Amino acid sequence: MEYLFEPVKENVYVLAIWDSNWNSYNNCYFIVQEDGITLIDSSKEAHSECLVQALKQLGKSPEDVKFVLATHGHEDHVQGTAIFKNAKKYIHHKERSLIEYPEPDEFNYDLLDQGVIQNFEYFWVGHHTPGSLTFYHQPSRVLFTGDFLCFFGDPLSKDGLVSAGNDLRHEWLEFLRNGGVSKDELNDFLKGLKTMNVFDVDVMCTGHGGVLVGDIKSFVSELLNVGNKLQEIQVEN
Ligand SMILES: [Zn+2]
Ligand SMILES: [Zn+2]
């Protein structure tokens, strides 16, 4: 199975697993902390072996994963959690009905629309699924957006998986400009971006493909500008 495993920042790693069925990278993130490893998202059941291999590269095993935070309940973000028997697993309560495997009862549904868990601040972004969350890791200033903002099915940046990704940023802006976020969802999408831009972000870790480094605020501001203009046009019509 093909995957990339790279450092994002000190103690933060990305595992990008190539999903040949979906023609996309599915991303998982390992945050190595004093009290164990926190995993954000976990890809599909069929990719569990990649998670084990990545842990091995860190000198760790599945037993070392103590917390799992899922950005949302789609199979490519929750199924891989089944192998982490020692971990507490968290997801927003509105995602429960999306989970078929592992058993929905393996998850804890205490996360609210915003709050703090461990050293992560999290907030609800009403876009993609009813209970999609974005996590901000305070010590490393890394933001985990899940599929709220991701590069599903896109090639990696020519500068690599973890990079400024200017080509990817440009494409996302074009995608938005050309109606990639539907009219019905645009308002919630913009609200999510506004909340995101409150944080001081060094790296944006997405649910699929590219991990963007540096000047995240100006990227999010550009997205907001494009989105706000689209909204004005909608109101005029
Ligand atoms: Zn999804
Ligand atoms: Zn996904």
Side-chain angles (χ1 to χ4, degrees):
M1 208 169 285
E2 193 190 324
Y3 68 84
L4 299 168
F5 186 54
E6 296 183 15
V8 168
K9 255 198 132 182
E10 205 182 351
N11 299 324
V12 182
Y13 300 85
V14 56
L15 171 66
I17 302 165
W18 178 249
D19 185 338
S20 52
N21 291 327
W22 287 5
N23 278 320
S24 180
Y25 282 99
N26 297 341
N27 293 15
C28 317
Y29 297 93
F30 299 83
I31 299 99
V32 182
Q33 315 213 73
E34 269 175 28
D35 51 354
I37 290 177
T38 297
L39 176 72
I40 296 191
D41 289 342
S42 56
S43 200
K44 296 176 181 173
E45 186 188 8
H47 301 147
S48 297
E49 189 50 34
C50 297
L51 293 164
V52 176
Q53 288 304 321
L55 284 162
K56 207 181 250 177
Q57 279 179 250
L58 294 174
K60 306 284 184 184
S61 70
E63 289 73 43
D64 296 311
V65 175
K66 303 295 186 204
F67 280 93
V68 171
L69 303 173
T71 56
H72 63 293
H74 283 156
E75 58 182 303
D76 52 317
H77 297 261
V78 297
Q79 283 192 347
T81 64
I83 61 167
F84 301 110
K85 302 296 179 200
N86 288 345
K88 287 185 187 154
K89 303 167 188 178
Y90 293 87
I91 194 166
H92 192 277
H93 64 90
K94 283 187 186 157
E95 299 295 285
R96 188 183 176 109
S97 60
L98 295 178
I99 301 174
E100 289 173 355
Y101 180 86
E103 278 297 312
D105 285 346
E106 286 197 18
F107 280 89
N108 173 308
Y109 297 92
D110 288 348
L111 300 187
L112 307 169
D113 285 351
Q114 68 174 76
V116 176
I117 180 158
Q118 284 189 305
N119 44 17
F120 294 85
E121 286 181 61
Y122 67 88
F123 54 96
W124 176 82
V125 283
H127 172 64
H128 190 67
T129 59
S132 278
L133 292 174
T134 286
F135 295 92
Y136 176 69
H137 186 235
Q138 295 155 334
S140 62
R141 307 208 300 205
V142 175
L143 187 75
F144 301 90
T145 59
D147 289 359
F148 173 88
L149 209 166
C150 69
F151 302 102
F152 185 87
D154 293 339
L156 298 179
S157 166
K158 64 174 175 42
D159 298 322
L161 170 63
V162 181
S163 67
N166 289 324
D167 43 357
L168 297 185
R169 297 180 193 218
H170 179 77
E171 276 165 35
W172 228 102
L173 284 159
E174 281 300 297
F175 173 73
L176 181 61
R177 220 170 261 135
N178 296 325
V181 175
S182 73
K183 281 181 188 173
D184 298 343
E185 290 185 297
L186 188 59
N187 200 34
D188 285 334
F189 179 68
L190 295 176
K191 257 197 258 173
L193 287 178
K194 274 179 208 147
T195 313
M196 220 169 259
N197 240 7
V198 168
F199 296 97
D200 203 3
V201 179
D202 288 348
V203 184
M204 180 187 272
C205 290
T206 73
H208 297 273
V211 174
L212 305 182
V213 181
D215 212 1
I216 300 302
K217 204 157 247 177
S218 68
F219 175 47
V220 175
S221 300
E222 278 182 273
L223 288 167
L224 276 167
N225 282 341
V226 170
N228 287 332
K229 272 187 199 136
L230 286 173
Q231 233 176 6
E232 281 166 27
I233 295 165
Q234 281 175 22
V235 171
E236 281 165 18
N237 292 335

